[in-house]
Every structure is written in structure tokens, then in C-alpha cells.
Amino acid sequence: MLALPGLLAMLGLRQLIERIPGAEVASTVSTRDALLRALREQRPDVLVADPGLLAEEVSPGMLVGIRVLHISPHPHARPATRNHACGFVSERSDLERVCEALEIITDCTVAHGQRGDCVSCPLSKSLKPAPLPVLTRRESEVFALISRGKGPTAIGQELGLSIKTIETHRENIKRKLGLSCSMDLVDLARRWSRGESIDDAFPARPAPNGARRSPA
């Protein structure tokens, strides 16, 4: 089953899948409502979907036994993708990478959700969200919860920390990312949660061994 909002992406992926021996596209949908109806009526072996169509209405329980591959115009997987997907590929990837992901998921015989997360599968490595290199582990946890719309009180309850400690972490995150206000922090966290690149938020790292960069 293909679930993609864009017609061109849908047609292109359909052609690629139908080139794989033994694979066929049983159905296509382009909206969230249509996907919900299709999942109630069908049980495809594989679902290739834009994660934007898999909102809260599509619960992980509806996807048990279905191998799911996320494909998105963004360069990174969404942080929540690991809960129900086997792998992720960006529309920006080269054709060879897209074909490889499609072949792996169509050839696989393990139903996702029945044997764990299949950590040995090469697709599992693609589920990592955009890295947060300048943040500590705890700051990354706070940032991830901010991306889910949680405020200081809710974050403190989930992590077992005081509101004052959470506020300190938020201030440190803003300082490290060069953000001037909480609104900018929330906006950046939401971008990250959608799988967008946020490399522009990280300060440039110095060249190794103290070497100076040559002028442009």
C-alpha cells in the first residue's frame, strides 16, 4: 500500500516497486482519512507512507503485522518513527538508496511488531532523528519533550526533575543554539520533530588541531 500526498512521488514509487520481482501495489491513498479507511479494510504486507499521514488517529495497534517504510521530503526521520516503522528514506536520497530501502522492506518476511524492532535490519539505522551534537543527553531529552508540546511542569513530571531544573536546561539549550526566546525554542523543536534539518542552529565547529580555515 502506498500512502503519499504527492501525485508525482506516488507514481514514481509505484514504478520502482513494480520493478521488484514479486511485488505489486495493492492500493494507493493520498489523504489521512483515506488511509484510515484502507487500514480498516485491508491488511497489506507493506505500507510505504509519508509520516505526515500517520497522525495520532493511526495508532501503532493498527499497524501491527505490517512492515512500514516512511518516506518524506525531509532529510531525517521523525523522533516518534521508531515506534511503528521499520525504516525511513528521504525523497532527497539518491535513487539507489530509495530502491535499496524498497527492496529490503518488500523482501523481508518478518512482520513488524511481532518480533521486536529487528535491530539487525539495515533499515533500523535509518530511524535515527536529526542529531543534536551540542546538547547533553539530558538536554536532548528535554528538547525532545518540548518538540512534543510539553511545558516545564509536564517535562519535570516525566523526567522526575523540578521545574527549576527544567527551566535551567531550557535556558542552556537556548544559549547553546543561539535562541533568544522560548518561542524560538519551541519552533525549532517542532521543526526537529518533523524531521527537518536544524543544522543551521548549531554553531560552526572549529577545525581540528586548531587549524585555521582558509578564506573563501
Side-chain angles (χ1 to χ4, degrees):
M1 180 186 295
L2 283 176
L4 299 166
L7 178 61
L8 290 178
M10 182 91 74
L11 293 174
L13 280 175
R14 181 166 195 150
Q15 290 180 353
L16 291 177
I17 292 171
E18 291 177 343
R19 292 178 185 175
I20 300 173
E24 62 177 336
V25 177
S27 60
T28 61
V29 296
S30 59
T31 66
R32 187 175 301 159
D33 290 341
L35 176 58
L36 283 168
R37 289 194 300 269
L39 288 175
R40 294 189 186 105
E41 298 170 359
Q42 306 173 39
R43 297 303 296 173
D45 294 322
V46 176
L47 171 63
V48 178
D50 185 308
L53 298 182
L54 295 171
E56 294 181 357
E57 295 90 340
V58 182
S59 65
M62 297 179 69
L63 301 173
V64 171
I66 300 176
R67 301 189 298 279
V68 181
L69 176 67
H70 281 185
I71 184 163
S72 163
H74 301 309
H76 301 285
R78 295 186 175 202
T81 296
R82 187 176 293 273
N83 296 335
H84 57 260
C86 299
F88 166 84
V89 65
S90 172
E91 292 178 10
R92 305 181 187 184
S93 302
D94 57 60
L95 185 59
E96 182 179 357
R97 174 71 186 97
V98 175
C99 290
E100 179 187 23
L102 291 172
E103 289 175 359
I104 290 173
I105 201 162
T106 53
D107 290 344
C108 179
T109 58
V110 178
H112 188 70
Q114 293 183 354
R115 292 191 183 179
D117 289 333
C118 305
V119 292
S120 61
C121 175
L123 285 180
S124 65
K125 297 178 181 179
S126 66
L127 295 173
K128 295 180 180 179
L132 302 169
V134 300
L135 304 184
T136 65
R137 180 185 61 82
R138 181 64 81 186
E139 289 167 353
S140 296
E141 291 175 344
V142 172
F143 187 81
L145 291 172
I146 293 172
S147 78
R148 290 161 52 188
K150 294 182 179 290
T153 301
I155 295 174
Q157 291 174 346
E158 183 155 339
L159 298 181
L161 301 172
S162 68
I163 295 178
K164 182 177 180 180
T165 299
I166 298 301
E167 290 289 4
T168 298
H169 284 311
R170 286 171 60 100
E171 290 302 314
N172 288 337
I173 294 170
K174 286 193 294 183
R175 175 178 54 79
K176 289 182 177 182
L177 300 183
L179 304 174
S180 59
C181 63
S182 296
M183 186 177 298
D184 289 341
L185 173 59
V186 171
D187 179 66
L188 188 69
R190 287 175 176 170
R191 284 175 51 197
W192 178 80
S193 72
R194 292 193 295 266
E196 297 181 26
S197 175
I198 59 171
D199 292 344
D200 57 323
F202 301 127
R205 296 183 177 183
N209 301 324
R212 295 182 179 180
R213 295 180 179 176
S214 58

